[in-house]
Structures are given as structure tokens and as C-alpha cells.
Amino acid sequence: MFVARARFEQMRRLYENQTAKRKEAEAKANRQAVTIERLQSQVAHDQDEHPTTPVPVQPAEGDARLLQQLELSERARRHLDQQCLDLHWTTVVQEREILQLRDQLAELQAAQGVAP
């Protein structure tokens, strides 16, 4: 079966593009597999008892724990206060926009002679 030269060139370009994409995808998969293997070995190493294993953080006890919890709760409260303030101002701005739009609608209806 014979095909036109232009059709042959088009098919060849498509084949080369697909081949390049496949090679790129295989290379990416290989890089990901190597990265996953490296990270798994790092996790296994860190979980084992070695001289290079990171020292676990000792939890605070007594008054130190209480101070730590108080600091965390204060930070959370400040964050929530800021969120509430942001939401309040957003609501105020939206209420103003609604009032402006309501006034504009009333003016348009009045100009067109439509009863509100």
C-alpha cells in the first residue's frame, strides 16, 4: 500500500513525537522510582537505632508544658481574631455593595416606570 509523501512525513513526525514523549515519560518514571527508593531507605535508616539517628524531642512536663499550651492557645486565638476581623470587614464591604446595587436598581426601575 502506497501513501503520499506528505502523509508519510506527517505520520513519521507523529511517530517521532510519540516516541520522544514515551522516552521522556519513562525517564521521569525512572527518576521518580529512584527518588522513592532513596527516600524509603532514608526513612528506614532514620527509624533504626544508629549513631546518626536524630534524637527524638522530649515532651515538656509540668509548668513548661502548661506555658507551651498557653502560648499555643494564645497564638490560635490571635489567628482566629484576625480571621473574624477579616470576615467582619468583608461583610461590611459586601453590605455596602448590596445597598449601592439596590439603590441603582431602584433608580433604573423608576426611570423605566416599573413599580419596585
Side-chain angles (χ1 to χ4, degrees), residues 80-96:
L80 291 174
D81 284 348
Q82 184 60 43
Q83 282 183 333
C84 287
L85 187 62
D86 293 343
L87 289 173
H88 173 71
W89 284 111
T90 302
T91 304
V92 169
V93 169
Q94 287 178 342
E95 286 175 353
R96 289 178 185 162

Side-chain angles (χ1 to χ4, degrees), residues 54-74:
V55 177
V57 176
Q58 298 296 322
E61 295 180 6
D63 290 341
R65 178 75 177 149
L66 181 61
L67 290 173
Q68 189 179 44
Q69 287 178 336
L70 285 172
E71 176 62 29
L72 288 173
S73 65
E74 180 61 23

Side-chain angles (χ1 to χ4, degrees), residues 6 8 22 36 51 53 60 67 82 88 99 103 105 107-108 110 114:
F8 174 78
R22 180 179 178 157
I36 289 170
T53 303
L67 290 173
Q82 184 60 43
H88 173 71
L99 289 175
D103 292 342
L105 178 63
E107 290 173 6
L108 286 173
V114 178

